[in-house]
């Protein structure tokens, strides 16, 4: 299968999960991430709000906030086309819908963080493989935003969040793709 066919197949499978299965997976994701000492030690963590059937990290957001950690969400950058900015998120954040209909903090009112200086960035994905390759939605937002990962210097842990069924034996990788540090599913935490 090519990337487009894989995206269609797995996205349909995600969307067709029952509410009960999604809630169970969200609890499993929280449990899995709590088992990572590196993740739990981080002070500034980027997550995302689920969309299109993605595994939901909202319980993780709530847990981190209760532990006094700072949570950031990706926002479509209004000036740097094709890039993301990370803005602090709390229950009181001013939110708006972006052009894809995804809720995000309002760029004008939030505290911004450079991705390079976050402890961890948790990314949604369509599929992943055993080498840490990630198949995203195809927009390239995370790859462009995280291109500094190819350079020396401080780097956050990049943790893909997914359902266990999203693992494939091998994905095609392009030179510009940013490999993941780890994958967290409802069942396991895998380091690469």
């Amino acid at each position: 299968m090519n990337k487009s066919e894989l995206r269609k197949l797995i996205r349909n499978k995600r969307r067709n999960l029952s509410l009960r299965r999604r809630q169970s997976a969200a609890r499993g994701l929280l449990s899995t991430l709590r088992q990572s000492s590196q993740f739990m030690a981080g002070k500034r963590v980027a997550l995302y709000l689920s969309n299109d059937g993605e595994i939901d990290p909202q319980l993780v957001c709530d847990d981190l906030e209760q532990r006094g950690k700072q949570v950031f969400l990706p926002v479509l950058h209004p000036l740097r086309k094709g890039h993301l900015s990370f803005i602090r998120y709390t229950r009181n954040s001013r939110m708006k819908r972006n052009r894809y209909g995804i809720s995000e903090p309002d760029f004008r009112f939030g505290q911004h963080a450079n991705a390079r200086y976050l402890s961890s960035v948790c990314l949604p994905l369509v599929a992943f493989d055993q080498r840490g390759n990630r198949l995203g939605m195809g927009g390239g937002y995370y790859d462009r935003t995280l291109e500094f990962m190819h350079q020396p210097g401080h780097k956050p842990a990049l943790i893909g969040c997914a359902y266990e069924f999203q693992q494939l034996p091998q994905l095609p990788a392009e030179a510009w793709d940013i490999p993941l540090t780890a994958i967290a599913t409802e069942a396991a935490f895998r380091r690469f």
Side-chain angles (χ1 to χ4, degrees):
M1 283 188 181
N2 64 33
K3 287 183 177 182
S4 179
E5 293 167 332
L6 283 172
R7 281 189 184 100
K8 184 176 181 181
L9 177 74
I10 296 174
R11 288 176 68 195
N12 281 337
K13 193 170 182 178
R14 279 192 328 206
R15 284 188 210 117
N16 289 324
L17 291 174
S18 69
L19 177 59
R20 185 177 186 163
R21 173 78 168 86
R22 290 173 198 240
Q23 291 170 336
S24 174
R27 288 188 301 274
L29 178 65
L30 173 60
S31 176
T32 298
L33 285 169
R34 280 182 175 168
Q35 294 171 25
S36 167
S37 56
Q38 180 185 12
F39 178 79
M40 293 308 293
K43 304 275 188 239
R44 296 159 48 99
V45 177
L47 288 158
Y48 61 92
L49 298 181
S50 67
N51 180 58
D52 192 47
E54 295 162 341
I55 194 165
D56 190 352
Q58 185 63 55
L59 294 175
V60 179
C61 288
D62 297 343
D63 185 66
L64 291 174
E65 193 173 14
Q66 289 172 0
R67 293 172 187 270
K69 315 280 185 172
Q70 293 182 354
V71 174
F72 292 82
L73 294 180
V75 173
L76 298 180
H77 200 293
L79 304 176
R80 294 188 69 206
K81 185 175 177 158
H83 286 78
L84 300 170
S85 183
F86 291 92
I87 298 183
R88 177 92 187 269
Y89 171 71
T90 67
R91 291 176 189 258
N92 299 321
S93 293
R94 281 185 167 179
M95 303 295 284
K96 67 179 193 110
R97 298 240 177 233
N98 66 24
R99 69 172 161 248
Y100 299 108
I102 301 169
S103 188
E104 62 183 25
D106 192 316
F107 186 87
R108 299 168 297 171
F109 301 107
Q111 172 192 347
H112 297 249
N114 185 317
R116 181 183 296 269
Y117 301 108
L118 295 169
S119 308
S120 298
V121 176
C122 293
L123 302 80
L125 52 84
V126 175
F128 66 95
D129 70 16
Q130 299 166 1
R131 296 177 302 161
N133 294 312
R134 168 188 174 268
L135 178 65
M137 293 292 285
Y141 286 92
Y142 279 100
D143 288 322
R144 280 188 289 278
T145 302
L146 300 171
E147 62 191 350
F148 67 85
M149 296 291 288
H150 291 297
Q151 304 162 2
H154 182 270
K155 298 172 185 164
L158 301 182
I159 303 170
C161 295
Y163 297 100
E164 193 68 26
F165 70 78
Q166 291 175 261
Q167 180 178 359
L168 299 176
Q170 186 173 356
L171 287 170
E174 308 293 345
W176 58 83
D177 288 340
I178 308 294
L180 299 169
T181 308
I183 283 284
T185 71
E186 74 277 20
F189 188 87
R190 298 174 181 88
R191 290 190 195 289
F192 301 111

